[in-house]
Amino acid sequence: MSTHDTAPGASTTTATGAARIQQHRRYLMCRPEHFTVSYTINPWMEPANPTDTALAVQQWQKLYDTYIELGHEVHLIDPIEGLPDMVYTANGGFVIDNVAYGAKFRFQERVPEGPAFMDWFRANGFEVAEPVEVNEGEGDFLLVGDTILAGTGFRSTGDSHRELAEVFGKEVVSLNLVDPRFYHLDTAISVLDPVEGPGGVERANIAYLPGAFDERSQAILAERYPDAIRVADADGAVFGLNSASDGLNVIISPRAKGFEAQLRERGYNPVLVDLSELLLGGGGIKCCTLELRR
Ligand code: ARG
């Protein structure tokens, strides 16, 4: 279910006087017409458990409709039979300034998705940087202000972080994921304010699950983002961090109750969308959403 108490384009002011400003987003999604769990590449996937493709499509549609109602632009890539994980478009690449760094998947089951997404980028006017190194796109790379946070440990390699820095010429900060349930960076960090505010005021901020990271990475996050929301394990465990923010509205799982309250306290508008069926594949809201930055 989605709730909107704030109209698109609106802003709110927090107790501390900081205004939350909605920014326009352009996303790429893929309708889960072929969704199922037929293999196991993360701890959430259990092929013996039944999946309901119609329910997955219905829940996905609610996410799509929510973005549209909020005034965002959503592009679609055609689902391909035999690629049940293609719904998780965040893994299809990483896009900044019209340049798409392509994905090179770690597991054989998803390898064909890499070229499929690169074809889509080319056909839609993006410049493609073909990857040499194994990386799973925006699942592991998050743009915060002018810095790219990059995850490793389970999927994208450390070498891909170097390649990423070469492609975009930006600072890349490597973070080590240590809990197999949180195998992509976007399951452990949510970017709330990805860009600098008016007048160059630094307002980029994140929410994260400390326990998903090793000590060194936790120290980096604490130092760089002293105002970050630290999310409780219970909210992390229901993929609460796998969310999408436009700077004001934050689309989150209805099960992440504590995170929802933390967002409200900070002046964000949590919008609840349940993707329980897609969680059977180990993915949530952010996984189904790739940002197309032109
Ligand atoms: N079954 C998919 C995989 O394991 C889920 C991907 C989730 N995507 C994400 N951005 N976290 O690869």
Side-chain angles (χ1 to χ4, degrees), residues 33-48:
E33 280 163 25
H34 306 294
F35 176 74
T36 187
V37 176
S38 51
Y39 50 82
T40 304
I41 56 173
N42 69 54
W44 304 84
M45 300 174 85
E46 177 42 76

Side-chain angles (χ1 to χ4, degrees), residues 21-28 67-68 70-75 138 143 191-196 243-251 268 286 289-294:
I21 301 162
Q22 187 194 22
Q23 298 135 15
H24 184 258
R25 295 274 182 268
R26 192 177 284 113
Y27 292 135
L28 178 62
Y67 289 140
I68 298 295
L70 289 170
H72 300 305
E73 189 179 319
V74 184
H75 295 256
E138 202 167 57
L143 183 67
V191 183
L192 300 174
D193 294 289
V195 296
E196 290 175 5
S243 60
S245 172
D246 63 20
L248 168 62
N249 305 291
V250 188
I251 325 292
Y268 295 100
K286 179 65 194 76
T289 311
L290 173 67
E291 191 168 354
L292 301 171
R293 301 178 192 84
R294 288 215 205 267

Side-chain angles (χ1 to χ4, degrees), residues 41-42 45 85 88 90-91 110 139 155 183-184 186 281-282 287:
I41 56 173
N42 69 54
M45 300 174 85
D85 276 340
Y88 306 113
N91 299 123
R110 295 196 70 183
R155 300 293 181 89
Y183 57 93
H184 277 139
D186 70 358
C287 303

Side-chain angles (χ1 to χ4, degrees), residues 1-2 29-35 51-67 69 87 272-278 285 288:
M1 242 3 270
S2 58
M29 297 180 70
C30 180
R31 186 172 275 111
E33 280 163 25
H34 306 294
F35 176 74
T51 48
D52 180 338
T53 305
L55 179 58
V57 171
Q58 197 185 313
Q59 292 181 338
W60 175 94
Q61 188 66 44
K62 216 157 253 168
L63 178 63
Y64 176 93
D65 292 345
T66 300
Y67 289 140
E69 282 165 38
V87 58
L272 312 180
V273 175
D274 185 17
L275 292 188
S276 59
E277 200 59 25
L278 290 159
I285 292 160
C288 296

Side-chain angles (χ1 to χ4, degrees), residues 8 17 77 79 81 163 180 220 231 283:
I77 180 171
E81 211 182 326
E163 191 171 45
I220 292 172
V231 168

Side-chain angles (χ1 to χ4, degrees), residues 197-257:
V201 181
E202 180 57 69
R203 37 177 312 110
N205 205 8
I206 64 167
Y208 68 100
L209 180 67
F213 297 93
D214 68 5
E215 261 177 54
R216 182 194 134 270
S217 306
Q218 287 186 31
I220 292 172
L221 291 169
E223 206 229 309
R224 286 191 169 244
Y225 307 102
D227 297 331
I229 296 179
R230 288 155 199 253
V231 168
D233 291 344
D235 292 324
V238 293
F239 261 33
L241 283 159
N242 198 250
S243 60
S245 172
D246 63 20
L248 168 62
N249 305 291
V250 188
I251 325 292
I252 63 166
S253 160
R255 293 194 275 171
K257 294 288 177 213

Side-chain angles (χ1 to χ4, degrees), residues 28 92-103 114 117-131 135 137 141 164 167-168 290-294:
L28 178 62
F94 185 63
V95 187
I96 304 177
D97 290 343
N98 222 52
V99 175
Y101 173 43
F117 278 97
M118 285 191 266
D119 286 347
W120 187 92
F121 293 131
R122 283 191 196 99
N124 287 274
F126 292 86
E127 189 189 317
V128 172
E130 293 221 17
N135 84 87
F141 307 143
L164 180 67
V167 169
F168 293 109
L290 173 67
E291 191 168 354
L292 301 171
R293 301 178 192 84
R294 288 215 205 267

